[in-house]
Amino acid sequence: MLYNTLHNRWLRLIAAVVGELISALALNLFIVPLNLYTGGTMGVCQLVRTLLQTYGGLDFGPYDVAGILYFITNIPILIFAYKNLGRGLVIRTVICTVAYSFFYSIIPTPSAPIVNDYLTACLLGGILTGIGSGIVLTCGCSGGGLDIVGLCLSKRGSTFTVGRFSLLFNAVLYSACLVLFSVEVAIYSIIYNFCTSLVLDRMHQQNVSVQALIFTREDESQLSHFIIDRLGRSVTFWSGTGAYTGEGVHVLCVCLSKYEIEELLHAVSSIDPHAFVTVQEGTRIYGNFPKRLE
């Protein structure tokens, strides 16, 4: 089911929209009722909305204008993404951005907090938001905002992950919250964003590198061609001998993202059902190792 979803573009797009719905629900149900602020571009839009209401005397009625501001601020970011990440990702990002702005605007905010305890609300909201955003990124899509900038940095080989870049940007945002509002607002907003970033980095499978060793007695060329032609990865192989059987075996070594490992396992199972694979997650890779965004 997961394999089919990740490798069918329409199912991936639907899953990404569902991820945006989860993020919007988490924000409106747990964070907004406590007058806390999310991070990134949406956090800036929420801050601008509050300033317009408090100091500008504007009344936006039952709708949250932050959703509209979020879409507007994404226009230059999408132009930047088109030049760096390509047309396909930008189209998917536009769809996800519209979906997120729409869900955020129509989901009613409870008049009283569902969870009165600030810490519990931040943990629940952060976990759900991280899961939703992680689903979006894993499906090869993006909700816009800082995700796009983080993906560009990731593609260029920067040490910044999407989550780490968000943390750095949000340090500036929450410093403004500390000055404009109260210590409690800033601290609990930071806790919420920290939980979101941790879950996001774990969910964002393209961001996790793995090393796979494939042991097969069949012709290794078929697996090698699949890895090179289909996954776009290089592969190294050598010949070995099974200590128990004394038979020859081919060992293939490949480094790839966690996002790609399931496709590799399906190929190995199809080509040689008797082969076995060892996977080491979280491998540190330096040098010429391109990041995959979809």
Side-chain angles (χ1 to χ4, degrees):
M1 175 91 179
L2 177 61
Y3 177 82
N4 292 332
T5 299
L6 291 178
H7 295 87
N8 182 293
R9 62 176 182 174
W10 296 112
L11 290 178
R12 281 193 299 171
L13 187 58
I14 293 173
V17 172
V18 172
E20 297 292 12
L21 175 60
I22 294 173
S23 298
L25 279 170
L27 184 59
N28 275 11
L29 296 182
F30 295 105
I31 304 305
V32 175
L34 296 175
N35 296 317
L36 300 180
Y37 292 84
T38 185
T41 308
M42 177 58 81
V44 174
C45 294
Q46 288 178 311
L47 185 62
V48 172
R49 172 210 61 200
T50 302
L51 294 176
L52 290 175
Q53 290 175 331
T54 304
Y55 300 102
L58 299 179
D59 183 10
F60 301 108
Y63 301 101
D64 195 334
V65 74
I68 299 174
L69 294 175
Y70 179 74
F71 181 78
I72 294 174
T73 55
N74 267 282
I75 294 177
I77 296 177
L78 291 172
I79 296 174
F80 174 70
Y82 185 83
K83 296 179 180 179
N84 289 272
L85 301 179
R87 177 173 174 268
L89 181 61
V90 170
I91 292 176
R92 296 191 297 273
T93 300
V94 169
I95 295 173
C96 290
T97 302
V98 170
Y100 183 63
S101 301
F102 175 73
F103 291 142
Y104 181 82
S105 299
I106 67 169
I107 294 174
T109 302
S111 56
I114 296 178
V115 179
N116 290 318
D117 182 71
Y118 275 65
L119 182 58
T120 303
C122 290
L123 292 176
L124 287 173
I127 292 172
L128 290 174
T129 303
I131 290 174
S133 299
I135 291 173
V136 174
L137 291 177
T138 299
C139 289
C141 303
S142 171
L146 295 188
D147 288 351
I148 287 292
V149 182
L151 284 172
C152 290
L153 292 175
S154 179
K155 183 179 180 181
R156 294 181 177 182
S158 171
T159 56
F160 278 110
T161 63
V162 177
R164 289 174 184 170
F165 179 77
S166 297
L167 284 175
L168 180 62
F169 180 92
N170 291 326
V172 177
L173 173 63
Y174 292 136
S175 296
C177 291
L178 179 63
V179 174
L180 294 172
F181 307 114
S182 66
V183 175
E184 288 78 11
V185 169
I187 290 177
Y188 283 113
S189 295
I190 290 172
I191 293 174
Y192 159 73
N193 184 257
F194 183 74
C195 292
T196 300
S197 298
L198 287 179
V199 176
L200 172 60
D201 268 350
R202 294 300 300 173
M203 287 287 296
H204 185 202
Q205 298 185 69
Q206 295 97 321
N207 215 31
V208 180
S209 300
V210 300
Q211 181 190 70
L213 292 178
I214 306 168
F215 298 83
T216 177
R217 292 188 176 89
E218 303 296 331
D219 182 9
E220 81 287 340
S221 61
Q222 193 173 358
L223 275 173
S224 298
H225 289 155
F226 172 84
I227 293 171
I228 295 171
D229 298 335
R230 183 69 178 272
L231 299 181
R233 299 294 188 184
S234 183
V235 59
T236 301
F237 66 87
W238 59 89
S239 298
T241 303
Y244 180 76
T245 63
E247 298 180 358
V249 63
H250 299 292
V251 183
L252 294 84
C253 178
V254 59
C255 294
L256 63 170
S257 73
K258 188 177 179 181
Y259 174 75
E260 298 165 315
I261 192 64
E262 194 168 358
E263 187 171 3
L264 175 65
L265 295 177
H266 274 258
V268 172
S269 177
S270 174
I271 295 172
D272 181 10
H274 302 291
F276 71 93
V277 183
T278 64
V279 178
Q280 181 178 353
E281 186 176 318
T283 302
R284 292 181 178 271
I285 302 176
Y286 301 94
N288 185 22
F289 179 73
K291 297 282 182 103
R292 301 291 187 225
L293 302 180
E294 55 180 343

